[in-house]
């Protein structure tokens, strides 16, 4: 049975407490049963996914073991350091990794003493994550749609959401999800997210602000003011910081993966200069509090 206490689970459709059975969770009020599949409770309603989401899920399940080249690994490291370094987690924290994939950030979160809950709509990705980490009672996994999460109000002191928001296909669904994050955060809790930045390099390459990757995965690139509006005005969270990360300053991006710690220092330096990094960062990072 997953370690997250029963009172933190909540029916994704009716927002009422769930009863834990031996091989399922039950919404007693409406009789919905959520099965536990290979040890991972499943709250996702795959029939309700749109065609765009189905095609993303198919792609994500195929791409479970993607390591990436040196540049990809460098970029992942910068993002991981930027996100996890901002959370300062203690043993009193419970953090949700919403759309965790194979657990790139989850694994870094587990190096803190916090309790970690990781969800994705891909069971294959969660199984890969479980395979990669040492068994621990501090990690709970669940298969769930991030736009329809099975958690009670105030269940988390922090929510991490890296490179997922931009793949939610409509603006209305993105805002509704951010509002649900607010509900699931304790007062004073932190949301830390990253999204594609519609930055100078994207524009110079002539890439579209919104579209489908070759893989069929939908994406929506954000401008900094647009992201701030969704988080602050529409979801009513206070934006504490909004900067660019993975700073592709002109003429530097090819050299960065090869320059070692010096490049990482320059890259992270950019985060402290939002006017610069919002323009050149590959991603935007927002840290907001409830
Ligand atoms: C680009 S990956 C990022 C994974 C992870 N957050 C990271 O930074 O490594 C996007 C992830 O979001 C998941 N995802 C996309 N839409 C989702 C949804 N509606 N519900 C749950 N997971 C979703 C995908 O399965 C995929 O694992």
């Amino acid at each position: 049975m997953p370690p997250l206490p029963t009172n933190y689970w909540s029916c994704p459709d009716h927002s009422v407490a769930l009863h834990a059975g031996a091989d399922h969770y039950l919404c007693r009020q409406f009789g919905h049963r959520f099965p536990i599949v290979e040890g991972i409770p499943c709250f996702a309603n795959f029939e309700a996914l749109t065609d765009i989401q189905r095609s993303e899920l198919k792609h994500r399940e195929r791409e479970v073991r993607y390591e990436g080249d040196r540049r990809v690994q460098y970029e992942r490291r910068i993002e991981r350091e930027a996100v996890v370094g901002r959370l300062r987690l203690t043993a009193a924290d419970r953090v949700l990794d919403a759309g965790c994939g194979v657990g790139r950030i989850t694994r870094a979160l587990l190096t803190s003493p916090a309790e970690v809950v990781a969800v994705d709509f891909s069971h294959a990705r969660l199984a890969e994550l479980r395979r990669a980490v040492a068994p621990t009672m501090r990690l709970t996994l669940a298969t769930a749609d991030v736009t329809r999460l099975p958690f009670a109000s105030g269940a988390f002191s922090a929510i991490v959401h890296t490179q997922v928001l931009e793949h939610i296909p409509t603006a209305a669904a993105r805002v509704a999800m951010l509002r649900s994050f607010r509900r699931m955060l304790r007062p004073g809790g932190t949301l830390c997210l990253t999204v594609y930045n519609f930055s100078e390099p994207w524009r110079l390459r002539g890439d579209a602000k919104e579209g489908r990757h070759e893989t069929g995965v939908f994406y929506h690139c954000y401008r900094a003011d647009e992201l701030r509006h969704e988080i602050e005005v529409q979801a009513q969270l206070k934006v504490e910081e909004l900067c660019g990360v993975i700073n592709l300053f002109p003429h530097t991006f090819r050299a960065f993966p090869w320059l070692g710690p010096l490049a990482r220092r320059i890259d992270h330096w950019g985060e402290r200069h939002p006017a610069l990094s919002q323009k050149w960062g590959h991603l935007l990072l927002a840290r907001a509090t409830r």
Side-chain angles (χ1 to χ4, degrees), residues 56 60 99-101 104 120-121 125 144-146 162-164:
E56 165 159 6
R60 300 294 184 196
C100 61
R104 189 173 62 99
D120 201 280
F121 66 1
R125 292 191 146 218
D145 181 346
V146 287
T162 50
Q163 297 193 53
V164 186

Side-chain angles (χ1 to χ4, degrees), residues 7-80:
N7 53 324
Y8 290 109
W9 296 103
S10 166
C11 175
D13 298 318
H14 308 107
S15 305
V16 295
L18 291 174
H19 173 75
D23 61 355
H24 66 277
Y25 280 84
L26 179 69
C27 169
R28 272 187 171 154
Q29 206 160 340
F30 298 92
H32 280 194
R33 253 173 104 91
F34 302 98
I36 298 176
V37 181
E38 296 165 3
I40 303 177
C42 178
F43 300 92
N45 179 359
F46 296 108
E47 275 152 34
L49 296 180
T50 62
D51 286 347
I52 292 182
Q53 288 176 306
R54 260 184 249 268
S55 106
E56 165 159 6
L57 179 57
K58 230 186 202 167
H59 165 70
R60 300 294 184 196
E61 302 234 296
R62 274 198 305 264
E63 201 201 38
V64 165
R65 298 249 164 99
Y66 175 66
E67 288 295 330
D69 59 16
R70 190 168 180 156
R71 176 159 168 209
V72 170
Q73 285 171 18
Y74 166 83
E75 293 182 1
R76 286 178 177 174
R77 177 172 186 173
I78 292 289
E79 184 190 9
R80 191 178 65 229

